[in-house]
Amino acid sequence: MRSPTRRTLLTAAAALPAVALAPGVSDAEVVSAWKPITLTGAANAFADAPPQARVVRVAGTDFLQLRGGAHVSYTADSPLGTLPSGLRVPKLTRGLCPRNNHNGLSVCRVEADVRGVLIVLGGTTASKITWVRLDGFSSVLS
């Protein structure tokens, strides 16, 4: 049997649902269950979907996954919050997340640094980010 390619691993991780791994999926496991992200500044969690993070392993590769969202008011690159203790990334990792559609922009970049700080990038005075949805963020940790 061939080893999975990086593309296959990324596709599998992106296909994992945010709520749980499907029963019977082989080579996939939850390493760390969903834990709350501590928001910073004026970020306010969505009432029905507060920001959370977890780690899953697919075919031996760990992925950071995020879900939930927050109302924000960003006109520059800004910190959103901090990953839960125990969920730190070994290197800068990034992904694209939905945001309010303004001037044709409907996604922003979200980065997690080695300190566990989540940063939302892409807000400007001409294209203010008023909310960000973290569902779908899945990034390789190693």
Side-chain angles (χ1 to χ4, degrees), residues 49-62:
Q52 296 178 319
R54 76 173 179 179
V55 175
V56 297
R57 183 172 296 134
V58 178
T61 301
D62 289 351

Side-chain angles (χ1 to χ4, degrees), residues 30-102:
V30 174
V31 175
S32 175
W34 290 112
K35 296 179 182 176
I37 293 169
T38 303
L39 295 178
T40 59
N44 293 307
F46 289 167
D48 62 336
Q52 296 178 319
R54 76 173 179 179
V55 175
V56 297
R57 183 172 296 134
V58 178
T61 301
D62 289 351
F63 293 86
L64 172 66
Q65 292 187 325
L66 306 178
R67 74 175 178 184
H71 298 283
V72 297
S73 182
Y74 296 156
T75 57
D77 299 345
S78 303
L80 176 67
T82 306
L83 293 173
S85 61
L87 289 184
R88 295 294 186 258
V89 297
K91 62 181 180 177
L92 181 69
T93 185
R94 55 182 59 104
L96 297 176
C97 294
R99 58 161 278 185
N100 58 295
N101 187 355
H102 190 273

